[in-house]
Amino acid sequence: MSDHPHLNGAFLTRRDVLARSGLGLGALALSNFLGVLGKGGVVSAGEEAATSSFATLAPRAPHFAPKAKRVIHLFMNGGASHLDTFDPKPALAQYAGKMLPVENLRTERKTGAAFPSPFTFKKYGQSGMEISDLFPNVAKSADELCVIRSMNADVPNHEPSLLLMNCGESRMIRPSVGSWLTYGLGTLNQNLPGFVVMCPDGYPIQESQNWQSGFLPGIFQGTHIDTKYTAVDKLIEHISNKYEGSKEQRQQLDLVMQLNRDHQQRRQADAQLESRIQTFELAYRMQMEATDAFDIGKEPQSIRDLYGDGVQGRQMLITRRLIERGVRMVQVWHGAGQPWDSHDDLEVNHRRLAKECDQAIGALLIDLKQRGLLDETLVLWAGEFGRTPTVELPKPGSNAGKINGRDHNHHGFTAWMAGGGSKGGYIHGATDEFGFKAVKDPVHVHDLHATMLHLMGFDHEKFTYRYAGRDFRLTDVHGTVVKELMA
């Protein structure tokens, strides 16, 4: 009886039959696949990418020595107006209420006469950088800012522009920036997610597509946190087990893992299953450290006062606590939906929104610097596009008809970076005299991504992932590293 064959796995399920029947052509690609395994190199289409250990958050080295080790993206979703924040255009005042002497560029909706900024700009720092009175606290760190006034995107619509800024592709499903970074670098703390996304009161439009892992293993997808809550068990659901201790949980997880590994071996090391296994492990480990990381009550009162006691102050302080604990990327959204989308009442809305976040952002920059974290932390402030220098005209279903707002503008807008090897106290490029279009040293979103990856130690053209027979990258077939943005 000892020689009796083992029947376990001897029969095919219906799913196995269907799967194997479609694999005939796959054999044709085997030699190419084996060639990929022999390429070696760091992460990109290398040997590690073909093993189960690849789909983990273990630390990995980039292509070359990086300037930055982590990224914080402050996302002003909805499209903050560059003309009212970091790109002053005094020429608009000369044409207030009049048509501009140039053609109004095509945007999502019709616009009319010139709309000068209702805000005042002043010079700050040794660099003399001009910043609106909307951001007096951010302006205190003017000499740390690398302001790009010549950003441009592809279309004036929220959905594709959000995906372009977040995933480098406006239509197809592609991995987000944070997913690419955790794929390439892993994380320095195995007890926390490598990529955390904070958005108070829900989701932005396009929801989780903004931090999706796409065709990368699911372990690299962003972990969403709703920062409207203050209690840790509300911030992270099921962070603690009320019914079993850590020993019992470990025994249960070991059993589940054994069953999953057996299931996985008979399915050719399926990457999605590997990601699920790693997610179980991460969830267990998070119980030990997440409670501490998200508890800002452990900060001195002086630090809490620096950030402020609002939602934005809370999530900025949590951001600092996460990155100093080894999280690779934190994305901080202003709020659910598209709060900065001021088609009406721009002055009222922008002043309110800036008041909510200015102190917190200014505190984050100061705090990172005083802790020695700013040099290796790349901070990006950017939305999906800017606003028009001309007033948006009334249109039923689009606005309230108040004629005091701006339409979307992808032709020219502003983003800024700080720390992480970016050039402080520097203004790059320019829009035309009215702020409609980038005319000097334009920087496309692909160029921004290429530059960010370079600061993180990656050649964006070689940082790839093979999927469906093609080597994909964050910048697709575009992108140029803008060396002028680097210190």
Side-chain angles (χ1 to χ4, degrees), residues 86 129 145-149 414-417 423 426-428:
F86 298 96
M129 184 177 293
L145 305 185
C146 178
V147 177
I148 311 169
R149 288 181 175 169
T414 295
W416 57 256
M417 298 187 293
K423 186 185 297 184
Y426 173 69
I427 295 174
H428 182 84

Side-chain angles (χ1 to χ4, degrees), residues 196-201 223-239 286 290-296 311 314-315 318 322:
V196 174
V197 179
M198 290 187 283
C199 184
D201 208 27
T223 298
H224 172 254
I225 305 294
D226 188 340
T227 43
K228 75 177 179 182
Y229 299 109
T230 55
V232 175
D233 59 348
K234 290 285 188 179
L235 284 167
I236 309 173
E237 290 187 277
H238 313 298
I239 188 60
M286 280 180 65
T291 301
D292 175 70
F294 286 91
D295 186 1
I296 63 172
V311 173
R314 186 166 64 249
Q315 65 177 3
I318 291 173
L322 288 174

Side-chain angles (χ1 to χ4, degrees), residues 174 180 215 463-468 470-474:
R174 296 288 183 267
W180 277 108
F215 45 68
F463 185 35
T464 63
Y465 184 86
R466 179 158 286 268
Y467 172 72
R470 174 188 164 190
D471 288 333
F472 284 87
R473 68 189 208 214
L474 172 61

Side-chain angles (χ1 to χ4, degrees), residues 192-208:
L192 290 171
F195 176 22
V196 174
V197 179
M198 290 187 283
C199 184
D201 208 27
Y203 293 96
I205 58 173
Q206 294 300 102
E207 300 184 344
S208 61

Side-chain angles (χ1 to χ4, degrees), residues 175-446:
S176 59
V177 176
S179 295
W180 277 108
L181 289 177
T182 48
Y183 154 61
L185 296 171
T187 184
L188 299 175
N189 188 335
Q190 300 304 300
N191 296 331
L192 290 171
F195 176 22
V196 174
V197 179
M198 290 187 283
C199 184
D201 208 27
Y203 293 96
I205 58 173
Q206 294 300 102
E207 300 184 344
S208 61
Q209 289 185 60
N210 292 294
W211 49 87
Q212 65 191 340
S213 59
F215 45 68
L216 292 176
I219 192 66
F220 302 123
Q221 178 159 311
T223 298
H224 172 254
I225 305 294
D226 188 340
T227 43
K228 75 177 179 182
Y229 299 109
T230 55
V232 175
D233 59 348
K234 290 285 188 179
L235 284 167
I236 309 173
E237 290 187 277
H238 313 298
I239 188 60
S240 60
N241 191 321
K242 300 178 182 179
Y243 307 103
E244 295 179 332
S246 59
K247 181 179 179 180
E248 291 76 13
Q249 290 181 64
R250 182 70 261 176
Q251 291 173 339
Q252 183 184 68
L253 188 58
D254 288 343
L255 174 60
V256 172
M257 177 174 288
Q258 182 180 349
L259 295 172
N260 281 334
R261 289 297 184 198
D262 181 63
H263 184 74
Q264 183 185 37
Q265 288 174 3
R266 290 183 279 114
R267 281 157 181 80
Q268 302 178 352
D270 182 80
Q272 291 184 343
L273 183 55
E274 176 64 30
S275 297
R276 184 170 298 179
I277 293 171
Q278 295 299 328
T279 300
F280 286 152
E281 284 290 325
L282 176 60
Y284 172 76
R285 296 193 302 270
M286 280 180 65
Q287 296 179 84
M288 297 181 285
E289 191 149 350
T291 301
D292 175 70
F294 286 91
D295 186 1
I296 63 172
K298 296 184 177 181
E299 292 286 333
Q301 187 62 48
S302 60
I303 294 296
R304 283 181 280 163
D305 291 342
L306 178 66
Y307 281 85
D309 58 2
V311 173
Q312 299 298 326
R314 186 166 64 249
Q315 65 177 3
M316 295 295 172
L317 183 48
I318 291 173
T319 295
R320 193 221 76 208
R321 290 175 64 83
L322 288 174
I323 64 104
E324 70 182 349
R325 284 164 170 76
V327 174
R328 188 66 69 182
M329 178 168 178
V330 180
Q331 189 175 51
V332 186
W333 295 74
H334 191 102
Q338 46 205 48
W340 285 89
D341 195 23
S342 299
H343 293 280
D344 294 293
D345 293 329
L346 179 136
E347 180 177 3
V348 174
N349 291 330
H350 268 44
R351 194 173 294 282
R352 172 180 56 82
L353 293 163
K355 186 177 180 180
E356 290 173 357
C357 68
D358 171 56
Q359 179 182 350
I361 296 174
L364 177 67
L365 295 174
I366 291 172
D367 201 14
L368 288 174
K369 186 173 182 179
Q370 69 186 8
R371 292 170 184 271
L373 292 169
L374 188 60
D375 288 344
E376 294 183 337
T377 303
L378 181 63
V379 182
L380 171 68
W381 182 96
E384 63 267 39
F385 42 52
R387 317 298 299 188
T388 57
T390 48
V391 72
E392 182 174 329
L393 298 177
K395 182 180 179 181
S398 296
N399 53 38
K402 296 182 179 181
I403 320 182
N404 60 358
R406 305 186 190 275
D407 190 22
H408 311 155
N409 181 17
H410 65 290
H411 300 290
F413 62 101
T414 295
W416 57 256
M417 298 187 293
S422 61
K423 186 185 297 184
Y426 173 69
I427 295 174
H428 182 84
T431 50
D432 60 64
E433 62 176 325
F434 304 113
F436 226 139
K437 181 181 180 180
V439 294
K440 178 185 178 183
D441 299 327
V443 177
H444 190 272
V445 174
H446 291 308

